[in-house]
Amino acid sequence: MPLVNFSNLDFDQIKASIKDYLRANSNFTDYDFEGSNLSTIIDTLAYNTYITSYNANMVTNEVFIDSATLRENVVSLSRNIGYLPRSRKASVANISFLVDVSNTTATSVTLKSGIVAIASSSNKKISHSQFQMM
C-alpha cells in the first residue's frame, strides 16, 4: 500500500485517496463508489481525516514559539527558555466627585457614557488625562 500524504488538508484529495486505496483492494474491484452507501462512509472518513489533520496542524503550530498564537502557549514556551513575560496591568485611579444638589430635589446622579472629566497633573508622567464612562 502506498503512503498517503494528508498534510495538504484538502477534503476532495483525501476522499480520492480513500477511493484509490479501496479500488486497489481486491474486494472492491469494479465497485461504484459514487452511487452506493459506501460513498457516505467514505465521506465520513474523509471528513474525519480532514478535521483530524487540521487539528494536528494547529497543535503543531502552538508547540513552537515562532508560530504560537495563543498567549498562554507563548508564555509557557518562553518559560522553558528562562523568560517570564510581564503582563500589562490596567490603570487604577481613585476619583472623587463633588456634586452640588442644593438647588434640586434629585436623589441620584447619573453619569452619561463618554468623556465626563478632563484632568491634568504637575507630574511629568501624567500631563493630560480624559476619564471616560463606559
Side-chain angles (χ1 to χ4, degrees):
M1 174 178 112
L3 292 175
V4 180
N5 183 7
F6 291 121
S7 64
N8 56 8
L9 298 177
D10 184 25
F11 176 80
D12 293 326
Q13 288 182 352
I14 293 170
K15 186 175 174 180
S17 296
I18 293 172
K19 287 181 184 179
D20 291 342
Y21 171 73
L22 290 175
R23 282 189 186 109
N25 190 334
S26 61
N27 293 333
F28 295 103
T29 306
D30 297 328
Y31 197 82
D32 180 24
F33 294 103
E34 296 302 324
S36 66
N37 290 333
L38 191 56
S39 177
T40 305
I41 294 172
I42 291 172
D43 286 345
T44 304
L45 286 171
Y47 179 73
N48 185 41
T49 303
Y50 175 79
I51 295 298
T52 302
S53 46
Y54 173 80
N55 288 335
N57 185 36
M58 295 309 288
V59 167
T60 303
N61 285 335
E62 292 298 318
V63 171
F64 300 104
I65 197 163
D66 291 341
S67 58
T69 57
L70 297 176
R71 185 182 190 286
E72 64 187 81
N73 293 338
V74 173
V75 170
S76 176
L77 291 167
S78 64
R79 283 184 184 154
N80 291 339
I81 59 173
Y83 178 75
L84 180 62
R86 291 180 285 169
S87 298
R88 293 183 180 173
K89 294 183 180 179
S91 299
V92 177
N94 293 324
I95 301 173
S96 299
F97 288 100
L98 179 59
V99 179
D100 184 12
V101 292
S102 61
N103 295 334
T104 183
T105 60
T107 57
S108 67
V109 176
T110 303
L111 296 175
K112 295 182 179 178
S113 62
I115 297 175
V116 294
I118 297 176
S120 62
S121 173
S122 60
N123 189 344
K124 291 182 180 179
K125 292 182 180 179
I126 303 171
S127 61
H128 185 75
S129 300
Q130 290 184 346
F131 299 100
Q132 186 168 357
M133 299 298 291
M134 300 290 181

